[in-house]
Amino acid sequence: MATPHVPCPALRPSAGVTFQTGARMLASRAFNLIGKRAISTSICMRGHGIAKVEDFSLPNYVDRRTIPLPEVEYVKNLSAEQKALKEKEKASWSALSIDEKVGLYHIKFNETFAEMNRGSREWKTVVGGILFFIGFTGLIVIWQRMYVYGPIPHTFSEEWIAMQTKRMLDMRINPIEGFSAKWDYDKNEWKK
Amino acid sequence: MSSTLLPKPQMRGLLAKRLRFHIVGAMIVSVGCALIYKFGVAEPRKRAYADFYKNYDSMKDFEAMKEAGVFESVQPKNS
């Protein structure tokens, strides 16, 4: 439909001028480059036709809550009966039947608000996918704990923890509501 | 399509209705949270502290801690 897009000839700097020295070009070489570019531009202008208009650059129809009146009508090419309906619309609207009014609506719009806002069953897939990948991550974490991490410090052994607990009770850590509050100092055991 | 008319929906005062609902709800929820915290956390804590210090002998506690050997400035008596 449209003439093919002819790209302008590649604008290469003239031989001998590299990009690194571009900032410190001699005045004569700079003028050379500008001259070449001026000629190339005019060649480009003569080579172009009208660019092809892509479909996505035209006004389009969307079913969206935030766009209640889209840019174009839904039906582009009216059928014969739709054309007759449009003619009838030019007369008094109270003469239209309910079905005709609905037909006119569906020329202009695709889905009703109720239809476009309807829920879907996508959430089940989403939740399932989330749980699946969390589970997979759990497997990776378990593998990491077994094969990547080294041994835990000796301060986590049973004897050390026992000594640590005894010292915390001796120091009366949190004696009112916390740790030592749960220890019975008279009977030397944890409170029931 | 049925030919019976639907009842006319609420056309006015929508924001006022929503505001009233949410302001009342917010008041109830925030005051409720405060009351739950007061009677669930604050009052029991105050009671626990009062009970602890009612018959607390600090010197006896100090002697017990000293014998356990947790201090650096004083040692247990038989060491």
CSV table of all heavy atoms in Angstrom, one decimal, chain A residues 98-99 102 166-167 170-172 175-177, chain B residues 1 45 48-49 52-53 61 64-65 68 70:
chain,number,residue,atom,x,y,z
A,98,ILE,N,-37.3,-2.2,22.6
A,98,ILE,CA,-36.2,-2.5,23.5
A,98,ILE,C,-35.1,-3.2,22.8
A,98,ILE,O,-33.9,-2.8,22.9
A,98,ILE,CB,-36.7,-3.3,24.7
A,98,ILE,CG1,-37.8,-2.7,25.5
A,98,ILE,CG2,-35.5,-3.7,25.6
A,98,ILE,CD1,-37.4,-1.8,26.6
A,99,ASP,N,-35.4,-4.2,21.9
A,99,ASP,CA,-34.4,-4.9,21.2
A,99,ASP,C,-33.6,-4.1,20.3
A,99,ASP,O,-32.4,-4.2,20.1
A,99,ASP,CB,-35.1,-6.1,20.5
A,99,ASP,CG,-35.6,-7.1,21.4
A,99,ASP,OD1,-34.9,-7.4,22.4
A,99,ASP,OD2,-36.7,-7.7,21.2
A,102,VAL,N,-31.2,-2.2,22.3
A,102,VAL,CA,-30.0,-3.0,22.6
A,102,VAL,C,-29.2,-3.2,21.4
A,102,VAL,O,-27.9,-3.2,21.5
A,102,VAL,CB,-30.5,-4.4,23.2
A,102,VAL,CG1,-29.4,-5.3,23.3
A,102,VAL,CG2,-31.2,-4.2,24.5
A,166,LYS,N,21.0,-21.8,83.4
A,166,LYS,CA,21.2,-21.7,84.8
A,166,LYS,C,21.7,-20.3,85.1
A,166,LYS,O,21.3,-19.7,86.1
A,166,LYS,CB,22.2,-22.8,85.2
A,166,LYS,CG,22.8,-22.6,86.6
A,166,LYS,CD,22.4,-23.8,87.5
A,166,LYS,CE,22.9,-23.6,88.9
A,166,LYS,NZ,22.3,-22.4,89.5
A,167,ARG,N,22.7,-19.8,84.3
A,167,ARG,CA,23.2,-18.5,84.6
A,167,ARG,C,22.2,-17.4,84.4
A,167,ARG,O,22.1,-16.5,85.2
A,167,ARG,CB,24.4,-18.3,83.6
A,167,ARG,CG,25.1,-17.0,84.0
A,167,ARG,CD,26.4,-16.9,83.2
A,167,ARG,NE,26.9,-15.5,83.1
A,167,ARG,CZ,27.5,-14.9,84.1
A,167,ARG,NH1,27.8,-15.5,85.2
A,167,ARG,NH2,27.8,-13.6,83.9
A,170,ASP,N,20.2,-17.4,87.5
A,170,ASP,CA,20.9,-16.9,88.6
A,170,ASP,C,21.0,-15.4,88.6
A,170,ASP,O,20.9,-14.7,89.6
A,170,ASP,CB,22.4,-17.4,88.6
A,170,ASP,CG,22.4,-18.9,89.0
A,170,ASP,OD1,21.5,-19.3,89.6
A,170,ASP,OD2,23.4,-19.5,88.6
A,171,MET,N,21.0,-14.8,87.3
A,171,MET,CA,21.1,-13.4,87.2
A,171,MET,C,19.7,-12.7,87.3
A,171,MET,O,19.6,-11.5,87.2
A,171,MET,CB,21.7,-13.0,85.8
A,171,MET,CG,23.1,-13.3,85.7
A,171,MET,SD,23.9,-12.5,84.3
A,171,MET,CE,23.3,-13.4,83.0
A,172,ARG,N,18.7,-13.6,87.5
A,172,ARG,CA,17.3,-13.1,87.6
A,172,ARG,C,16.9,-12.3,86.3
A,172,ARG,O,16.4,-11.1,86.4
A,172,ARG,CB,17.1,-12.2,88.8
A,172,ARG,CG,17.5,-12.8,90.1
A,172,ARG,CD,16.7,-14.0,90.5
A,172,ARG,NE,16.9,-14.4,91.9
A,172,ARG,CZ,17.8,-15.2,92.3
A,172,ARG,NH1,18.7,-15.7,91.5
A,172,ARG,NH2,17.9,-15.5,93.6
A,175,PRO,N,12.6,-11.0,85.9
A,175,PRO,CA,11.9,-11.8,87.0
A,175,PRO,C,10.5,-11.5,87.2
A,175,PRO,O,9.8,-12.2,88.0
A,175,PRO,CB,12.7,-11.3,88.2
A,175,PRO,CG,13.1,-9.9,87.9
A,175,PRO,CD,13.3,-9.9,86.5
A,176,ILE,N,9.9,-10.5,86.6
A,176,ILE,CA,8.5,-10.1,86.8
A,176,ILE,C,7.6,-10.8,85.9
A,176,ILE,O,6.6,-11.4,86.2
A,176,ILE,CB,8.4,-8.6,86.8
A,176,ILE,CG1,9.4,-8.0,87.8
A,176,ILE,CG2,7.0,-8.2,87.2
A,176,ILE,CD1,9.4,-6.5,87.8
A,177,GLU,N,7.9,-10.6,84.6
A,177,GLU,CA,6.9,-11.1,83.6
A,177,GLU,C,7.6,-12.1,82.6
A,177,GLU,O,6.9,-12.7,81.8
A,177,GLU,CB,6.3,-10.0,82.7
A,177,GLU,CG,5.2,-9.3,83.4
A,177,GLU,CD,4.4,-8.4,82.4
A,177,GLU,OE1,5.0,-7.7,81.6
A,177,GLU,OE2,3.2,-8.5,82.5
B,1,MET,N,-35.0,-9.5,27.2
B,1,MET,CA,-34.9,-8.4,28.1
B,1,MET,C,-36.3,-8.1,28.7
B,1,MET,O,-37.3,-8.0,28.0
B,1,MET,CB,-34.5,-7.1,27.3
B,1,MET,CG,-34.2,-6.0,28.2
B,1,MET,SD,-32.6,-5.9,28.8
B,1,MET,CE,-32.3,-4.2,29.0
B,45,ARG,N,-0.1,-6.0,83.2
B,45,ARG,CA,1.3,-5.7,83.5
B,45,ARG,C,1.5,-4.9,84.7
B,45,ARG,O,2.4,-5.2,85.6
B,45,ARG,CB,1.9,-5.0,82.3
B,45,ARG,CG,3.4,-4.8,82.4
B,45,ARG,CD,4.0,-4.3,81.1
B,45,ARG,NE,4.0,-5.3,80.1
B,45,ARG,CZ,4.2,-5.1,78.8
B,45,ARG,NH1,4.3,-3.9,78.3
B,45,ARG,NH2,4.2,-6.1,78.0
B,48,ALA,N,1.0,-7.2,87.6
B,48,ALA,CA,2.2,-8.1,87.8
B,48,ALA,C,3.3,-7.4,88.6
B,48,ALA,O,3.9,-8.0,89.5
B,48,ALA,CB,2.6,-8.7,86.5
B,49,TYR,N,3.6,-6.2,88.1
B,49,TYR,CA,4.6,-5.4,88.8
B,49,TYR,C,4.3,-5.1,90.2
B,49,TYR,O,5.1,-5.3,91.1
B,49,TYR,CB,4.9,-4.1,88.0
B,49,TYR,CG,5.9,-4.3,86.9
B,49,TYR,CD1,5.6,-5.0,85.8
B,49,TYR,CD2,7.2,-3.9,87.1
B,49,TYR,CE1,6.5,-5.2,84.7
B,49,TYR,CE2,8.2,-4.0,86.0
B,49,TYR,CZ,7.8,-4.7,84.9
B,49,TYR,OH,8.7,-4.9,83.9
B,52,PHE,N,4.7,-8.2,92.3
B,52,PHE,CA,6.1,-8.6,92.5
B,52,PHE,C,6.7,-7.8,93.6
B,52,PHE,O,7.4,-8.3,94.4
B,52,PHE,CB,6.8,-8.5,91.2
B,52,PHE,CG,8.3,-8.8,91.2
B,52,PHE,CD1,8.7,-10.1,91.1
B,52,PHE,CD2,9.2,-7.8,91.4
B,52,PHE,CE1,10.0,-10.5,91.2
B,52,PHE,CE2,10.6,-8.2,91.4
B,52,PHE,CZ,11.0,-9.5,91.4
B,53,TYR,N,6.4,-6.5,93.6
B,53,TYR,CA,7.2,-5.7,94.5
B,53,TYR,C,6.5,-5.5,95.9
B,53,TYR,O,7.0,-5.0,96.8
B,53,TYR,CB,7.3,-4.3,93.9
B,53,TYR,CG,8.5,-4.2,92.9
B,53,TYR,CD1,8.2,-4.0,91.5
B,53,TYR,CD2,9.8,-4.4,93.3
B,53,TYR,CE1,9.2,-4.0,90.6
B,53,TYR,CE2,10.8,-4.4,92.4
B,53,TYR,CZ,10.5,-4.2,91.0
B,53,TYR,OH,11.5,-4.2,90.1
B,61,ASP,N,17.3,-11.2,97.7
B,61,ASP,CA,17.6,-11.5,96.3
B,61,ASP,C,19.1,-11.3,96.0
B,61,ASP,O,19.7,-12.1,95.3
B,61,ASP,CB,16.7,-10.6,95.4
B,61,ASP,CG,16.1,-11.4,94.2
B,61,ASP,OD1,16.1,-12.6,94.3
B,61,ASP,OD2,15.8,-10.7,93.3
B,64,ALA,N,21.2,-14.2,97.3
B,64,ALA,CA,21.0,-15.4,96.5
B,64,ALA,C,21.8,-15.2,95.2
B,64,ALA,O,22.5,-16.2,94.8
B,64,ALA,CB,19.5,-15.6,96.2
B,65,MET,N,21.8,-14.1,94.6
B,65,MET,CA,22.5,-13.9,93.4
B,65,MET,C,24.0,-13.9,93.6
B,65,MET,O,24.8,-14.5,92.8
B,65,MET,CB,22.2,-12.5,92.7
B,65,MET,CG,20.9,-12.5,91.9
B,65,MET,SD,20.8,-11.1,90.8
B,65,MET,CE,19.7,-10.1,91.7
B,68,ALA,N,25.2,-17.5,93.9
B,68,ALA,CA,25.2,-18.1,92.6
B,68,ALA,C,26.4,-17.8,91.8
B,68,ALA,O,26.8,-18.4,90.9
B,68,ALA,CB,23.9,-17.8,91.8
B,70,VAL,N,27.2,-14.7,90.2
B,70,VAL,CA,27.1,-13.9,89.0
B,70,VAL,C,27.7,-12.5,89.0
B,70,VAL,O,27.9,-11.9,88.0
B,70,VAL,CB,25.6,-13.7,88.6
B,70,VAL,CG1,25.0,-15.1,88.2
B,70,VAL,CG2,24.8,-13.0,89.6
